[in-house]
Every structure is written in structure tokens, then in C-alpha cells.
């Protein structure tokens, strides 16, 4: 085969498809891996049927997520392409997963820096030895000063998602996640994440700002800050106010109209940070708080802090600053030792808290966690019954909370033009209290014809459909009216 100039053509680029499971943090990791592969000469394709290799970025958080990851790996093998498993489940189980799924090659986080070489190995038939998992919390020092220095060392452990210069967007749309840190230093008794994600490591503010500017250059207008625990940002570098300082700088970036913070830890939500999130222009007054439960007794068994009154206090303080603030959380039902009184206490909190979105999960034993050995395990049937009970309550309460927003004004970020010939100016989007992926949507009518995805329009909420809002765009005030309002008339 020759090129149009008559010169022998080089080999066709190898094609790779990337499949991502799990959270927004994994999405960032996948885009970093995609960027590295593109830099190594791989062509990114959307469909495994057209690929030489399928990279499956797995989730290893809870039992159901692990099952989804295994199903995705097996489905990828149907394409006939080579299948490579990466991500949390691959890191967590290593050689064990490779033995259970010989159809796939299993790689760990420390392979990310040379991911192109590893795929070359797979495609040329060079054997790879799966890694033996280790507790990644032990790979970095405990001391913040020592940890910061250790992450810069040549032999530092790989920290997924921290090489944004190589990042390549796989998703379209005006919202994108930006990882501000990796790992977690907390020791919740039900959670294994720190053992395979490692110690908490903040990214330098300059690096975060640089990535945000790059995302804005790619057409992103809403940035969602993610990590395992965003309230810990800067703790490992000795500055607990790092996030408070960073947020206004992010909001000031040209092209960015909204910054949202996800994964806040209630026990670390300092008053100053709460105020910055609630009252800074350009920062969504949105609180994604990891409550997990509200019974103080049960939370202590979970190695967590607070309880109903503490959590209601946080919500009250935020609403005093931003009455329309959004709140979401996740809760676990059926944790070992959970009593009927504990469930009733959770019901009280959810009823009084008036949250906008709540994820409800049933407890499952996780390898390597303290809860695995706790007494008081509940039967699965009882766990399932409690999940259904709280899920039903949450659906009712969140729908009521949405109805409370009727008549209010929402700042809606437009994402998709739904207009048809006889109904122009209808868009899908999400308000400031709605995460772009998890918390419902807002449908806006009466949007001007020159609107574009990524713009924010002011709209009046006129109806609801469950947690979703229906709104009507508010046209800008005429100049004379605007001047009169400014003058206090």
C-alpha cells in the first residue's frame, strides 16, 4: 500500500475503545488514559466492534458495582477485540481478577504512566504478570510535608487522573468533572476505597486552574470538582483553606459560568468553606454531603461523626445564606447493628432536612473493611425491606421539595435543544441545585432562538415532574427598566 505521494504508507493506527463504569472520578481517569493512548498513536473509537482493544475502566466500590464491571468486561469480549481491565476493581483484586477472568488482561494504577506500552504488549502477545494488590495507604508518608515531597519523587506511586496535560475529552456537553485530589485518609468502617485509591493527595492549585482553563477552551462552561473527599483539599499540604481560596479563582476563569463542588465530608465542612460555596458568584450553592446515616450511635459504628441535629444545623446555616441551595446525599441501610430506632432517626432527618436528591444503598460486606467483622449482621431480606422503605420515603420527599420550588427563579444551564417546529425555544438543562448527572433536570420553554448549549438562562419554575422541574425563561428586562431598578426606583 502506498500513500497519495507514492511513498509507502505507515501501519494503520491501532484502535482502542474506552468503556467507563462508576463515578465522575473514573471518567476523569478514562480521559487521561485516552489522552495518553492518543499521544502514543492509538486511534480512539466509540465502538468495541471497530477496535483492536477495549479498555474497561472498572468500579470496585460495592458488590453491585463490581458485578456491573464484570458484566462489562465479558460484554467487551464479544467484540473480538483484546480486553484490558483497569480502574478500581482491577487495582483492588489484581491477579485474583485475572484468574477469574482469563478473557481479560488486568492492569493496575501503576501501569497508567505507560498505558500505550502495556496495550502494545497485549496486542503483540507479550505476556504480562498481573499485579498483587497492596494497601496503597502505605505507599506515601503520613506527614503532610513528607507526603507532598514523596509525590514528586521519580518512584512515586501512580495517582490516576493527575496528568491533565494528556487529557482528551471522551464526552460532549458543557459540563465536565475536574479532579482536585485523589485518595482518602478517613477510615470509615464500611469503605475499602482508601486501601486501593491510597492516601489523600491534593493537586497543586496552579495545576487545577490550568486544567480548568483547558476545559473552558474545549467548550466547557460548568466545572464539577471531584475527589474522594473534597473538603480535605489542602489538608495534606498544610493549608485547610485551600479550597476556599481556589473556588473564586475558578469562577473567574473566562468562559466558566458555574463551578460545582462534589463529595463533601460533613465532619470537615468548615464555616468558611460553607460560606464560600453558598455565597460566591459563579459557585453553585450546592452541597453534595456524604451523610451515610443520621443516627449518632450507628454513625459511630461506621467510624463517622455527627448525627441528625448536626446535619440539620449544616443545612440551616447554608439555607440562611442561600435559601435555594441544593442538597444531595447517600445513605446506607442495614449496616451491622442497625436497629428500628436508627431507621426511625434517619426518617426524621430526611423528613426535616428537605433534601433535593438522596441515593439509597443497602449495606454489603466489603473485603478489607472493619465492618466485615462486626456483629449484628442483618438478613438480606431485612436489608432489602429497609432499602425499599427509605427509597419510597425519599421519592415522596424529594418530589415535595421540587414542588416547593414552584414560583422561584432558577439559573438553568442549557444542555440540549428540544425544540420542534411548532414548539421552538424548548431546552433541557439543569439548575444550580441539580448535579448534571444525578439530580434531575429542568425543562425550559421560551428560550431565545440564538441560545447555545452551555449558556445559563434565568427561568421561573412553573411545574414539576417528580424531581424534575418545568420552567419558563424570563426575558431580560428592557434597558429603561433595568436602569430604574439599579437606581432603586
Amino acid at each position: 500500500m502506498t500513500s497519495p505521494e507514492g511513498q509507502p504508507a505507515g501501519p494503520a493506527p491501532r484502535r482502542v475503545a474506552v468503556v467507563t463504569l462508576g463515578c465522575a472520578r473514573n471518567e476523569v481517569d478514562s480521559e487521561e488514559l485516552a489522552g495518553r493512548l492518543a499521544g502514543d498513536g492509538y486511534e480512539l473509537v466509540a465502538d468495541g466492534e471497530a477496535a483492536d482493544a477495549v479498555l474497561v475502566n472498572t468500579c470496585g466500590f460495592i458488590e453491585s458495582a463490581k458485578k456491573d464491571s464484570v458484566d462489562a468486561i465479558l460484554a467487551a469480549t464479544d467484540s473480538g477485540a483484546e480486553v484490558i481491565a483497569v480502574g478500581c476493581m482491577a487495582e483492588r483484586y489484581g491477579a485474583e481478577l485475572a484468574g477469574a477472568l482469563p478473557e481479560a488482561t488486568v492492569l493496575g494504577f501503576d501501569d497508567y504512566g505507560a498505558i500505550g506500552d502495556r496495550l502494545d504488549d497485549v496486542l503483540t502477545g507479550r505476556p504480562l504478570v498481573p499485579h498483587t494488590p497492596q494497601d496503597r495507604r502505605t505507599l506515601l508518608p503520613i506527614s503532610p510535608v513528607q507526603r507532598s515531597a514523596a509525590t514528586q519523587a521519580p518512584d512515586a506511586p501512580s495517582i490516576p487522573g493527575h496528568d491533565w496535560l494528556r487529557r482528551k475529552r471522551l464526552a460532549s456537553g458543557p459540563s465536565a468533572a475536574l479532579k482536585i485530589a485523589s485518595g482518602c485518609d478517613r477510615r470509615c468502617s464500611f469503605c475499602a476505597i482508601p486501601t486501593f485509591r491510597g492516601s489523600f493527595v491534593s493537586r497543586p492549585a496552579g495545576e487545577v486552574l490550568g486544567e480548568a482553563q483547558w476545559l473552558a477552551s474545549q467548550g466547557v462552561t460548568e466545572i464539577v470538582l471531584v475527589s474522594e473527599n473534597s473538603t480535605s483539599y489542602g489538608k495534606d499540604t498544610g493549608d485547610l483553606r485551600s479550597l476556599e481560596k481556589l473556588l473564586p479563582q475558578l469562577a473567574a476563569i473566562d468562559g466558566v459560568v458555574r463551578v460545582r463542588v462534589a463529595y463533601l465530608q460533613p465532619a470537615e465542612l468548615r464555616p468558611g468553606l460553607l460560606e464560600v460555596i453558598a455565597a460566591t458568584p459563579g459557585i453553585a450553592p450546592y452541597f453534595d454531603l456524604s451523610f451515610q446515616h443520621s443516627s449518632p450511635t450507628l454513625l459511630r459504628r461506621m467510624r463517622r461523626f455527627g448525627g441528625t441535629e448536626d446535619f440539620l444545623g449544616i443545612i440551616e446555616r447554608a439555607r440562611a445564606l442561600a435559601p435555594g441551595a441544593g442538597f444531595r446525599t447517600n445513605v446506607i441501610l442495614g449496616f451491622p447493628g442497625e436497629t428500628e430506632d436508627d431507621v426511625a432517626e434517619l426518617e426524621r432527618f430526611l423528613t426535616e432536612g428537605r433534601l433535593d436528591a438522596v441515593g439509597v444503598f443497602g449495606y454489603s460486606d466489603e473485603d478489607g473493611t472493619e465492618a466485615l467483622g462486626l456483629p449484628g449482621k442483618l438478613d438480606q431480606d431485612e436489608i432489602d425491606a429497609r432499602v425499599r422503605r427509605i427509597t419510597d420515603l425519599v421519592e415522596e420527599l424529594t418530589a415535595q421539595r421540587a414542588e416547593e420550588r414552584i414560583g422561584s427563579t432558577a439559573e438553568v444551564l442549557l444542555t440540549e435543544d428540544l425544540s420542534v417546529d411548532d414548539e421552538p425555544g424548548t431546552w433541557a438543562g439543569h439548575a444550580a441545585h441539580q448535579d448534571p448527572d444525578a439530580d434531575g433536570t429542568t425543562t425550559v420553554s421560551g428560550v431565545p432562538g440564538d441560545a447555545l448549549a452551555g449558556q445559563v438562562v434565568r427561568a421561573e419554575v412553573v411545574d414539576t415532574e417528580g424531581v424534575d422541574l418545568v420552567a419558563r425563561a424570563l426575558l431580560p428586562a428592557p434597558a429603561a427598566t433595568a436602569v430604574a431598578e439599579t437606581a432603586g426606583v
Side-chain angles (χ1 to χ4, degrees), residues 410-436:
E411 303 287 331
V412 184
L413 188 136
L414 304 178
T415 55
E416 182 182 2
D417 189 352
L418 303 178
S419 301
V420 292
D421 290 341
D422 58 345
E423 235 181 296
T426 301
W427 280 76
H430 53 272
H433 72 279
Q434 295 171 319
D435 179 88

Side-chain angles (χ1 to χ4, degrees), residues 21 34-36 98 141 175 177 205 210 223 239 263 277 290 335 341 346 392 402 471:
L21 293 96
R36 285 179 177 274
S175 299
I223 290 174
D239 186 358
Y263 305 107
I277 293 174
S290 175
F335 187 81
D341 286 345
L346 177 59
D392 289 345

Side-chain angles (χ1 to χ4, degrees), residues 327-339:
F327 296 86
R328 90 165 331 271
T329 195
N330 295 316
V331 296
I332 298 173
L333 276 300
F335 187 81
E338 183 185 61
T339 65

